[in-house]
Amino acid sequence: MLAELGFGVLVLTFFLTLYSFTAALYGEWKRSEAVVESARRAMLLTWPLLTLSALALIYLLVNNAYQVSFVYEVTSRSMPAYLKATALWGGQAGSLVFWAWLMSAFTSLVALRKWERDRELLPWVLVVAAFTLAFFLSLIVFFENPFLRYWQTAGGNVLRAVFQPANTLPFIPSDGRGLNPLLRHPGMVIHPPMLYLGFVSFVIPYAFAMAALITNRSDDRWIRLTRRWTLWAWLFLSLGLVLGGRWAYDVLGWGGYWAWDPVEIAAFMPWLTGTAFLHSVMIQEKRGMFKQWNMLLIILTYALVIFGTFLTRSGVLSSVHAFAQSAIGPMFFGFIALTSFFSVGLLIYRWGSLKADVEIKSLFSREALFLFNNLLFMSVLVVCFWGVLFPLLSELFTNQKVTVGPPFYERATAPLFAALMLLMGAAPLSAWGTASARTIGRALWKPALAALFVTAVLFFTYTRHPIALIGFFLIALVLFVTFYEFWRAARARTKAHAENILLAFWNLFGRNRRRYGGYVIHISMMLMAVGILGIELFQRETQGTLALQQSLVLGGYRLEYRDIARFPGPDSREVTRAVVDVYQGERYLGQLYPRIDYYPEAQQNMTIPGQRPTLRDDLYVLLVDWKPASSSGATFKVYVNPLVNWLWLGSLIFLAGILIAAWPERERSAEQ
Amino acid sequence: MKRHFFLIGALIAVFAFFWPAGASAQGSTPSDDDVNRIARELYCPVCENTPLDVCPTQACAEWREQIRLMLAEGKTDAEIKQYFVDYYGARVLAEPPRQGFNWLAYLVPPVLIALGAFVLVRALRDWVKPGVTEAGTGESEPPADSAESDEYIQRLAEELQKRR
Amino acid sequence: MSVQQQKQGVPLWAQILIWLSITGLLVLVGLGLIRAQRPMVSVGSLAPDFSLTLFDGYTLDGASSLKLSDLRGKVVVINFWASWCKPCEQEAATLEAAWRLYQPAGEVVFLGIAWTDTEPKSKAFLKRFGITYPNGPDLGTRISQLYNRNLGVPETYFIGRDGTIKHIQIGPFASVSQIQALIDRLLAE
């Protein structure tokens, strides 16, 4: 009953989005406000409808409705209720429903805003958004329907269909297959939604950009309208990436957080173009230049969002993240082809009218530095894109499978990231319009000297690794420059407004959230860079098989194997948990509990590390192997990951920075 | 006779118990760390995109055993890797081997990036008005600190004002 | 800069370049997609040819390597296996028993192909189950790539006298008679 309802509502929503699309087009063509208005209202209806459909699916998931094939595939009786509910995005069909639901939520939000000032953009925003939503809904309705049920024919064959086929009886499996153990982790509950949020919310700025192109509005109105959207989209995408890293670190037992897996890169690529976009729109806002470039960046971001989704879901790539091979690949491919041809064609058509006088007074002006920033982000994108594509090429042309793995990306992107850091250090000190090497140099020498001092201290106390020293110098430089900027601005305020320094500092954020929020983000990025340098360059590991009371020694730590126990855990796991005493020198630091969780239904092991995080390093212990039959002991793998916790610390500050930047401001009277 | 049998049995048991530990103390049996050093740079087709040293499948465990075996035979890291490439194909390497068609993997990104940089620099040469730049640098006498600070305050106020 | 110049569009050569590169990218991704979605070699299609170097001690007609196409006219049973795979252990004895039934007549050839398996382990497995039919490693994973089998092991392909694939068995065999039934049907054709 509920399955039919859920499906019926999906079909209805699909037609509604088609209607919204057509009505918006027709209303625009006939210049009929009323028709456009009906398109807007149709769009507003999609959200409650999709909510209903998603709720129906969640109800089925939570209540063990195994006659529904999707429920059978992703849940089982032993799973806790929260995992059953979030299994919604644990499989292809359900995650598409979730995606469509988010998309309609965003589109509804856009449709709800006041449209008086930008009436001419509305129908086109609706057209683009409705088209994208209709595409995703069509995938669900025609290819990946989560509401299919099992039916058994007289011959014993089991079919899948929404409605009962003739001569069949309902077939209800007694238990489901259960969610992939990799996904049964709290981190997995939030990582995909964050990424989806990021992905989906980039559709909105794209829709506005297309609307601006179609209506030939060459001003920066679309950028101003979507500025905050873009920041939120970027926030979610960044959080999705960071959470994914954290999940990998805690669950996959690699001792790392990022493996340059093609699907990770697929999510990273829109982040790159999105970040470039966030910087380059500022040139257009301040100086009215490079309108085409911004258009191109947002088109690229949208295309990469769709391309990333395609890569994960079509079976083109194999990866830990990939969904099972699916029929929706060709549909996605068609959609990518259509949207990229259309957007690029439109951009070329409007190229001339977007042209503005370009005048750059100096190679060191902020606009010029932003251009270099964009070049570097694009370069990282090129490396990533090529790395993802190359195995496909190789298989096509030489019939040979190859792996493009971490060494390739690390070697290629490290200098680019270093150059980006250098820019991050210089750009805040330059000014719009005029700035020369001299003015920047005058502002830069003090922070540079301080950074050099820090590097020297590190050289004598911490490391002599040349790459690490270059990295730490750049990090220190950016940090000092950013603090210097804060301090300069706050001091300027104390003079101009006779405020005390703390108040002045506080007011800075109120005065220009985006700028100072952006600086906080720079700081957070540098903290993350500390963590990345630490784990990339100084990670140490050892592995050994220990009998009870024996020890492994690594990086000043001594780990003594005390005990092992096997017991049934929640969620029908069989837990094998080792107890390890940790000593530093002779000092007893505490116990760690690395464990192996065995999921009998999936016949899969999960290796969950025992971790001891400090700011200096992270002690990370894995129970690699333990055979109940043998008395030879247990095999442990130990990593010491220096500085990695700065990465997680940085991501918290990052969150703060972006909240400062994206928090809604009171509209000021200046804006009119 | 019977005693001998027991003695031999006991010897074997003692030997079996001590042999692995004794051998690793001698260093003739490769340690897990030696194996992982090589495994870290290999990828097995059973778990694609996951390095061999952390892949949990049975197939990968046997690959690691193979590495251990070859290390014990005295093979070098390079020889072992080459063996894996010959036996399982180039996909076991973390990067495409630098030969033939695979050179494209390494050449295309730098060429594209250089092209991008070239286009940007060319464009900047057109955009930057030389007269303005010279005037900009010519005018800037190194001002006193207070002057700089005033200039900065003014610029900052202006910038904060300009944004809408 | 004159107004005329300012409103210029994209030069033709650049447009052509842009369209070509977009189309090129799309074609590549499309071809990759087709490749990924291509079904495993299907029943009725010609079995892709490959050559197989046999493990030491194994021969077929006195040769230590073979080409599939040279076996045209015989019924060929190709079994992909690995020593680490439990179901492969279950069926190993069954396959060997079936082989011994057909070996004397010389009408049927069994081929075992070890997939992503290490040589010592493969050999130990063959010895343990007393496998006598020709076996060899899938060097460079070339053969498994041809048959596009990435579902797992064991998988068995039955090839008719005409060189086309007649039956694909995913998973282990339960009994000798199951194999017999399949082969006898092909021999009768």
Side-chain angles (χ1 to χ4, degrees), chain A residues 538-596:
Chain A
F538 303 127
Q539 182 179 54
R540 292 213 267 161
E541 60 167 90
T542 187
Q543 181 176 322
T545 305
L546 303 180
L548 286 177
Q549 321 300 341
Q550 281 187 330
S551 298
L552 271 177
V553 174
L554 181 70
Y557 292 103
R558 186 168 68 82
L559 294 104
E560 190 178 317
Y561 173 31
R562 300 296 303 185
D563 193 13
I564 199 155
R566 194 163 215 202
F567 50 87
D571 193 12
S572 79
R573 286 175 297 203
E574 280 172 28
V575 179
T576 310
R577 198 186 73 152
V579 181
V580 175
D581 281 347
V582 181
Y583 295 90
Q584 191 163 35
E586 281 311 301
R587 201 156 59 91
Y588 174 71
L589 293 178
Q591 287 187 323
L592 290 179
Y593 310 100
R595 58 175 215 266
I596 297 175

Side-chain angles (χ1 to χ4, degrees), chain A residues 587-608:
Chain A
R587 201 156 59 91
Y588 174 71
L589 293 178
Q591 287 187 323
L592 290 179
Y593 310 100
R595 58 175 215 266
I596 297 175
D597 290 359
Y598 179 67
Y599 290 84
E601 26 181 283
Q603 300 193 348
Q604 206 171 335
N605 275 328
M606 296 285 294
T607 336
I608 310 292

Side-chain angles (χ1 to χ4, degrees), chain A residues 224 254 290 318 358 360-361 386 401 403 405-406 408 411 485 488 492 512 515 541-543 637, chain B residues 33 36 40 43 48-49 54 91 93-95 98 104-105 127-128 132-133 152-153 159-160 163-164:
Chain A
R224 289 180 191 286
W254 291 342
F290 306 120
S318 34
V358 174
I360 290 181
K361 296 208 181 80
W386 188 246
K401 277 200 176 191
T403 308
F408 176 87
R411 191 168 349 105
E485 270 298 291
R488 270 216 295 187
N512 190 342
R515 178 179 191 145
E541 60 167 90
T542 187
Q543 181 176 322
K637 188 167 194 179
Chain B
D33 289 342
N36 282 340
R40 196 179 310 136
Y43 289 76
E48 282 179 86
N49 298 309
V54 294
R91 64 196 297 188
L93 296 175
E95 308 181 87
R98 288 179 179 72
L104 277 183
W127 292 332
V128 175
V132 184
T133 327
Y152 178 78
I153 294 173
E159 281 184 16
L160 295 183
R163 60 174 285 287
R164 284 177 288 164

Side-chain angles (χ1 to χ4, degrees), chain A residues 110-229:
Chain A
V110 168
L112 276 174
R113 73 181 296 281
K114 294 196 197 75
W115 280 96
E116 292 82 34
R117 282 177 64 194
D118 314 284
R119 199 74 201 172
E120 76 270 28
L121 293 179
L122 169 67
W124 295 111
V125 170
L126 283 177
V127 164
V128 175
F131 183 70
T132 310
L133 184 56
F135 166 69
F136 276 93
L137 285 171
S138 72
L139 292 182
I140 304 171
V141 171
F142 297 115
F143 296 97
E144 289 287 345
N145 184 351
F147 292 106
L148 291 180
R149 280 178 292 172
Y150 289 119
W151 306 96
Q152 194 162 29
T153 62
N157 288 330
V158 176
L159 310 171
R160 296 195 313 164
V162 178
F163 300 102
Q164 187 162 14
N167 305 321
T168 59
L169 291 169
F171 175 72
I172 308 179
S174 62
D175 198 357
R177 281 212 304 244
L179 192 62
N180 181 345
L182 286 175
L183 307 180
R184 298 187 188 181
H185 180 267
M188 218 47 212
V189 174
I190 32 181
H191 157 59
M194 281 298 162
L195 264 186
Y196 290 175
L197 271 170
F199 272 25
V200 172
S201 39
F202 266 118
V203 175
I204 303 299
Y206 169 78
F208 274 91
M210 286 297 106
L213 274 183
I214 296 169
T215 54
N216 205 6
R217 271 187 77 159
S218 62
D219 60 357
D220 60 1
R221 184 67 190 156
W222 72 274
I223 288 178
R224 289 180 191 286
L225 288 175
T226 57
R227 194 158 69 189
R228 196 144 286 120
W229 273 107

Side-chain angles (χ1 to χ4, degrees), chain A residues 628-664:
Chain A
S630 75
S631 56
S632 59
T635 306
F636 293 92
K637 188 167 194 179
V638 185
Y639 291 92
V640 172
N641 294 330
L643 304 175
V644 71
N645 288 304
W646 291 85
L647 178 65
W648 314 122
L649 187 73
S651 51
L652 289 180
I653 294 177
F654 174 82
L655 185 63
I658 203 158
L659 285 176
I660 292 171
W663 203 256

Side-chain angles (χ1 to χ4, degrees), chain A residues 326 333 341 352 355 395 399, chain C residues 6 8 19 26 28 35 37:
Chain A
S326 155
F333 180 74
F341 274 119
K355 226 165 206 176
E395 220 184 326
N399 217 0
Chain C
Q6 220 184 86
Q8 252 172 16
W19 291 122
L26 284 172
L28 282 180
R35 212 187 154 88
Q37 298 230 320

